[in-house]
Amino acid sequence: MSNALRTRPTRTPWTRLRALMPSSVAGQIALLIVAAVVLAHAMATLAFFTLREPWRPDDHPGVAATRLATVSRLLDGASPADRPALLANAARMLPTLRIEAWDGAVPEAAGADRVIDHPMVQRLRDGFARPLAIADLWAAGRPSDAPSGVRIGIATPGGARLSALVPDDDRPPMRQGAIIFTFVFLAVAVSLISLWATRALTAPLARLVEAADEFGTRMNLVDLPENGPREVVALSRALDRMRARVRRLVDDRTQMLAAISHDLRTPITRLRLRAEFIEDDHARSMTLRDLDQMNGLVEAALSFVRDGQSPDGGTRTGTKTLIDLASVVQTVSDEFADIGADVRVSESRHVLVQGRPDELQRAIMNLVDNAVKYGGSARLSVLQTEHGVAVEVSDDGPGIPESERDAMLQPFVRGDRARNLDTASGFGLGLSIVLAIVDSHEGRLTLRNRTPRGLTARIELARAASLPVAPPAAAIEAGHRAAAE
């Protein structure tokens, strides 16, 4: 029993608090709203009790000054015979002011200039609305048994004289700016706390979106959230099972396609050898042509498996190197020009990128091959962009309808819309391979029709980090050598 007690994990206050939290998204959102409302009311109540004036009117400095001004106006307007009775009644009704009659004697150290800046005196003058002669009767010294406050003597323009004890409150009256600042601070504080709580609530969803996006683009496996609301945890587990099934299906398809394409090479080779013994020239040529097309289909399928997929689900195992993309484009243009194709580079910029030269060269060659096949010529451009470099391959062909562009990037979809190998010049894998290579380099492939006719295929890649736009000659030569290899 003692060992079991010792090994039991300790529950911290934060762990206990999290255990009391609702496990569903709806419950946590409701709790967030209630907590924000309660917090707003609590802060508003705190501000109210902090900024409010004293509850008792007699303890309110402003009330005391206003009442004393009212008594002074009454005495000033009354006849000299009625003033003693009014003064006595005011002293009885307002005991906190300690109102007494004053003979007008001013201590030697006292004077009106000593209390002229006192807040209570200023409130008294404002409440009386006429000039008042006010003297500090305790300027020479406060009696030892005197209560807190300031003893002043007041002489009205009508000849009335009285003394009173006003609160010694040097706080200025509350201004509107303090109230505005309080409510602005309340709004900002509640907003920040609500934003923090909302982000904490949606953080598992953000990680789930990131994992789904990474798996959908490059088949990368990002850790799924194991905590959070009950619905998010259930969705994470379902997505993890789905990822396993998708990877298994992709691997099975890739292995099947590679096995079939590889195994077809041997019977095709045997059929080619046997076709050489056919005596009929026409039958022999037709048979060899069919075998060439079958062999081309096998090579295209193997190329798609090699360049479009990888054993780890879409990421390449080859090492990326620095490449001068302009040299790769020039190499592709020279190779097509050597066989008589109308291909040339119209614009070029030397920009270094991180990549695999053979794959990038194959992607550009596929685009140029399509441009020559469907447009008769190709114009290549290397353009510097804000974040990297773009390679554009333009032709004067019929283009691709906007509704068919996404389908053209799928495997075995051809632009001639036909499945007759007798007239087809391709197998619909060129753009699929280009898209796979560009995705593996974290780039972007776009197809755009030109005006009045033609198509522009654009590959966008990120520039190599911490490298100048115009590389030195040594780097350019290295890029040329990598492209040539």
Side-chain angles (χ1 to χ4, degrees):
M1 179 65 67
S2 60
N3 293 334
L5 293 177
R6 284 197 299 268
T7 57
R8 179 180 298 176
T10 58
R11 291 171 61 88
T12 62
W14 176 247
T15 305
R16 297 190 185 97
L17 181 61
R18 292 188 61 181
L20 298 176
M21 293 276 293
S23 59
S24 64
V25 175
Q28 292 187 10
I29 292 177
L31 179 62
L32 174 61
I33 295 174
V34 172
V37 173
V38 172
L39 179 62
H41 280 280
M43 296 183 67
T45 303
L46 178 63
F48 171 76
F49 281 102
T50 302
L51 297 177
R52 76 178 182 92
E53 298 287 356
W55 183 255
R56 293 181 55 198
D58 292 344
D59 297 334
H60 195 301
V63 172
T66 302
R67 289 178 174 178
L68 186 57
T70 302
V71 172
S72 300
R73 287 199 303 270
L74 291 175
L75 291 175
D76 184 67
S79 62
D82 296 334
R83 286 173 181 171
L86 289 175
L87 192 62
N89 291 332
R92 186 176 65 256
M93 298 297 295
L94 303 172
T96 58
L97 294 179
R98 307 288 180 92
I99 298 176
E100 297 177 357
W102 178 43
D103 57 3
V106 179
E108 296 180 358
D113 57 339
R114 294 181 178 274
V115 294
I116 192 171
D117 294 330
H118 196 281
M120 292 299 99
V121 173
Q122 293 179 1
R123 291 190 181 190
L124 177 60
R125 293 183 186 277
D126 294 339
F128 191 79
R130 284 188 297 168
L132 278 177
I134 301 176
D136 186 1
L137 302 182
W138 284 350
R142 179 193 300 270
S144 59
D145 58 344
S148 61
V150 179
R151 191 76 182 181
I152 60 174
I154 304 173
T156 66
R161 292 183 177 88
L162 71 155
S163 66
L165 181 69
V166 297
D168 190 12
D169 192 348
D170 57 354
R171 293 178 302 173
M174 187 174 61
R175 299 179 180 178
Q176 187 178 6
I179 301 177
I180 295 177
F181 172 78
T182 301
F183 281 98
V184 170
F185 173 77
L186 172 64
V188 172
V190 173
S191 300
L192 291 178
I193 294 175
S194 301
L195 180 61
W196 171 80
T198 303
R199 293 192 63 180
L201 176 62
T202 58
L205 291 175
R207 293 197 300 271
L208 193 62
V209 171
E210 179 186 1
D213 184 66
E214 289 293 329
F215 181 74
T217 54
R218 291 180 292 275
M219 300 288 284
N220 293 338
L221 290 181
V222 178
D223 293 336
L224 296 174
E226 293 293 338
N227 54 2
R230 182 175 61 248
E231 294 87 349
V232 175
V233 174
L235 182 59
S236 297
R237 294 171 180 171
L239 180 61
D240 195 29
R241 294 192 295 269
M242 184 193 69
R243 292 196 308 184
R245 291 194 298 268
V246 170
R247 286 177 60 87
R248 186 166 57 251
L249 289 174
V250 171
D251 292 341
D252 293 344
R253 186 201 68 172
T254 302
Q255 294 176 3
M256 179 186 67
L257 185 60
I260 293 176
S261 301
H262 182 271
D263 293 342
L264 281 176
R265 283 180 165 181
T266 301
I268 290 176
T269 302
R270 290 199 301 264
L271 288 175
R272 182 184 296 277
L273 293 176
R274 293 172 183 173
E276 295 294 340
F277 295 97
I278 298 177
E279 297 181 356
D280 189 344
D281 294 338
H282 178 71
R284 182 172 61 254
S285 62
M286 294 296 294
T287 303
L288 292 176
R289 191 192 66 172
D290 291 340
L291 292 175
D292 288 338
Q293 290 179 341
M294 293 175 61
N295 187 68
L297 178 59
V298 170
E299 293 295 335
L302 286 175
S303 177
F304 174 71
V305 173
R306 181 180 64 252
D307 295 328
Q309 301 292 336
S310 63
D312 59 352
T315 57
R316 298 301 195 278
T317 57
T319 303
K320 292 183 178 181
T321 60
L322 285 178
I323 305 171
D324 178 19
L325 206 55
S327 65
V328 177
V329 171
Q330 188 62 52
T331 300
V332 172
S333 175
D334 294 341
E335 290 182 359
F336 276 89
D338 290 342
I339 60 176
D342 184 8
V343 177
R344 61 176 180 270
V345 179
S346 59
E347 183 178 354
S348 180
R349 294 291 299 272
H350 292 287
V351 181
L352 294 181
V353 298
Q354 287 276 359
R356 289 169 287 273
D358 54 343
E359 292 185 4
L360 290 177
Q361 181 173 345
R362 180 171 181 78
I364 298 173
M365 288 184 66
N366 285 356
L367 295 180
V368 175
D369 183 66
N370 285 342
V372 174
K373 184 186 305 179
Y374 295 103
S377 62
R379 301 294 178 265
L380 285 77
S381 302
V382 182
L383 309 173
Q384 180 182 343
T385 63
E386 182 180 358
H387 301 290
V389 61
V391 178
E392 292 186 350
V393 180
S394 303
D395 61 58
D396 297 325
I400 301 176
E402 185 175 356
S403 59
E404 300 179 7
R405 291 178 191 172
D406 293 338
M408 292 300 299
L409 297 177
Q410 301 301 318
F412 302 104
V413 177
R414 298 199 305 269
D416 50 23
R417 313 293 295 172
R419 298 304 303 168
N420 186 4
L421 290 180
D422 292 337
T423 59
S425 56
F427 304 101
L429 291 174
L431 289 179
S432 301
I433 295 174
V434 174
L435 179 61
I437 293 175
V438 173
D439 283 344
S440 70
H441 286 76
E442 299 182 2
R444 181 185 179 191
L445 172 64
T446 56
L447 304 176
R448 183 181 72 254
N449 285 330
R450 300 175 58 197
T451 303
R453 58 182 284 112
L455 179 73
T456 297
R458 179 184 176 97
I459 297 177
E460 299 181 24
L461 299 173
R463 185 169 53 240
S466 304
L467 289 173
V469 174
I476 297 178
E477 293 180 2
H480 279 284
R481 289 196 301 270
E485 294 175 357

